[in-house]
């Protein structure tokens, strides 16, 4: 009798455990579907941003004077075009059609770069302004891809993690390159120009 009682007790305990774990897994799946929604939303945002950059970077190249800066921008323009394709592969890996959603932050950063280029005089000062605007863009991208990669990892999207990580590394390298160009020549020349 006692054994039966203890069995039934343990059964009810294990039932409540099962219920709790079911509840937990339902909650988890709810969370993962919400995270998936956020992931797709942020993908659309950066897809729009990268496409906008393929048009904005050539304007920066046109306004730059230092050959080192021109080379850095041109090489990152090629990478950016490739990043658009890579994002299309990420969309494809989760069976979604690639589409963009206007990214207000990137639109603002590009507008800021255009304002700088309109108001600066050609030469080292303009180059310093372009680098400053360019680095703000890279930092925004690093933040976005870092988050996207983390989301993909949590969601178990192995292929997306790999693709996003490749781009994240390119953005980090582009930022480092711009810092090098700035310290190597541009900022020194700009400092020599009297305000
Ligand atoms: Fe990019
Ligand atoms: Fe970039």
């Amino acid at each position: 009798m006692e054994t039966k009682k203890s069995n039934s007790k343990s059964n009810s305990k294990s039932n409540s455990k099962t219920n709790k774990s079911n509840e937990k897994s339902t909650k988890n799946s709810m969370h993962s579907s919400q995270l998936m929604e956020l992931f797709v939303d942020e993908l659309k945002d950066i897809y729009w941003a990268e496409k906008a950059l393929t048009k904005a970077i050539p304007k920066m190249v046109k306004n730059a004077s230092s050959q080192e800066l021109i080379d850095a921008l041109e090489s990152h323009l090629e990478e950016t075009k490739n990043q658009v394709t890579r994002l299309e592969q990420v969309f494809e890996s989760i069976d979604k059609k690639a589409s963009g959603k206007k990214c207000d932050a990137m639109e603002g950063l590009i507008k800021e770069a255009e304002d700088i280029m309109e108001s600066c005089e050609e030469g080292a000062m303009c180059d310093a302004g372009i680098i400053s605007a360019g680095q703000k863009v890279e930092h925004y991208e690093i933040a976005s891809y870092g988050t996207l990669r983390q989301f993909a990892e949590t969601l178990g999207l192995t292929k997306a993690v790999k693709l996003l990580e490749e781009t994240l590394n390119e953005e980090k390298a582009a930022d480092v390159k711009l810092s090098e160009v700035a310290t190597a020549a541009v900022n020194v020349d700009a400092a020599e120009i009297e305000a």
Side-chain angles (χ1 to χ4, degrees), residues 33-50:
S33 76
Q34 282 166 353
L35 185 62
M36 187 66 176
E37 223 174 90
L38 193 57
F39 177 71
V40 173
D41 218 52
E42 300 231 348
L43 264 186
K44 289 181 179 175
D45 176 285
I46 199 72
Y47 186 60
W48 186 95
E50 294 287 15

Side-chain angles (χ1 to χ4, degrees), residues 78-95:
E78 288 318 303
E79 277 178 339
T80 301
K81 287 178 188 165
N82 198 29
Q83 289 166 359
V84 171
T85 312
R86 208 176 277 140
L87 281 172
E88 285 161 1
Q89 291 167 353
V90 175
F91 277 109
E92 207 185 304
S93 76
I94 54 166
D95 290 324

Side-chain angles (χ1 to χ4, degrees), residues 68 179-188:
E68 247 189 303
S179 289
E180 281 170 9
V181 174
T183 39
V186 172
N187 282 354
V188 178

Side-chain angles (χ1 to χ4, degrees), residues 135-149:
Q135 285 195 291
K136 285 181 193 173
V137 166
E138 294 316 313
H139 280 247
Y140 179 82
E141 289 182 301
I142 290 167
S144 297
Y145 281 106
T147 305
L148 279 166
R149 186 201 53 182

